Amino acid sequence: MIETDEFWMNKAIEAAIEAENSDEVPIGACLINEKNEILAIAGNRTRTDCDPTAHAEILVLREAAKKISNYRLTETTLYTTIEPCAMCAGALIQARVKRLVFGALDERFGAVESVFRLCDNSSLNHQMEITKGVLAENCRKIMQDFFKQKRRKIKS
């Protein structure tokens, strides 16, 4: 079986749905190595862990670094359902992730294309290959539905 970007993004979507089931903002991430082996999968846990840094992307970077005993995650690809924020984009750069694949843009907080361009900024010491829009509609719908439901609960 040849794993495609869509295959791995579906893994990230599964993690986002698990996060949503825990009343977390439904963002999921999956990190794989050059052999197409999963190093880590996680969904947001900011509320669960009472940790503002517990974004899905940060969690997979932490887990993978421990797993391979190296904070440099070269030759890896990170799949995430939503465009990373500035914190997560910065962490991807620090980890030297080779490739980033994301689903939907985040027009308010996105730091890859929407608000800032950190991941391919030539002023920084590391740039990564970026693929955007993989299963974007699915990723966007999960987020929109989550926040619509939250707003309905507030009104009731």
Side-chain angles (χ1 to χ4, degrees), residues 43-118:
N44 273 8
R45 289 199 319 251
T46 55
R47 293 174 180 158
T48 302
D49 293 0
C50 198
D51 178 355
T53 69
H55 291 196
E57 300 92 334
I58 300 294
L59 296 172
V60 297
L61 294 176
R62 287 178 183 160
E63 183 180 334
K66 285 181 184 174
K67 187 174 192 174
I68 68 168
S69 299
N70 192 341
Y71 70 102
R72 296 287 194 226
L73 299 169
T74 60
E75 303 305 318
T76 62
T77 300
L78 183 116
Y79 292 86
T80 184
T81 55
I82 302 297
E83 177 184 6
C85 68
M87 175 183 68
C88 294
L92 294 171
I93 293 163
Q94 294 297 322
R96 307 298 193 267
V97 168
K98 182 177 183 176
R99 182 170 178 243
L100 167 65
V101 180
F102 67 90
L105 291 168
D106 184 345
E107 294 175 9
R108 291 180 60 211
F109 298 106
V112 178
E113 180 177 312
S114 296
V115 181
F116 305 108
R117 290 198 72 105
L118 294 179

Side-chain angles (χ1 to χ4, degrees), residues 89-153:
L92 294 171
I93 293 163
Q94 294 297 322
R96 307 298 193 267
V97 168
K98 182 177 183 176
R99 182 170 178 243
L100 167 65
V101 180
F102 67 90
L105 291 168
D106 184 345
E107 294 175 9
R108 291 180 60 211
F109 298 106
V112 178
E113 180 177 312
S114 296
V115 181
F116 305 108
R117 290 198 72 105
L118 294 179
C119 293
D120 61 358
N121 187 318
S122 62
S123 299
L124 300 174
N125 64 341
H126 177 73
Q127 296 83 44
M128 65 196 72
E129 182 183 330
I130 300 165
T131 303
K132 67 175 183 175
V134 175
L135 300 179
E137 286 306 313
N138 297 15
C139 297
R140 185 176 6 269
K141 185 171 179 359
I142 291 167
M143 289 287 282
Q144 287 173 339
D145 290 351
F146 176 79
F147 285 109
K148 281 179 190 173
Q149 182 180 16
K150 286 286 182 200
R151 286 189 293 275
R152 271 191 234 121
K153 282 182 181 177

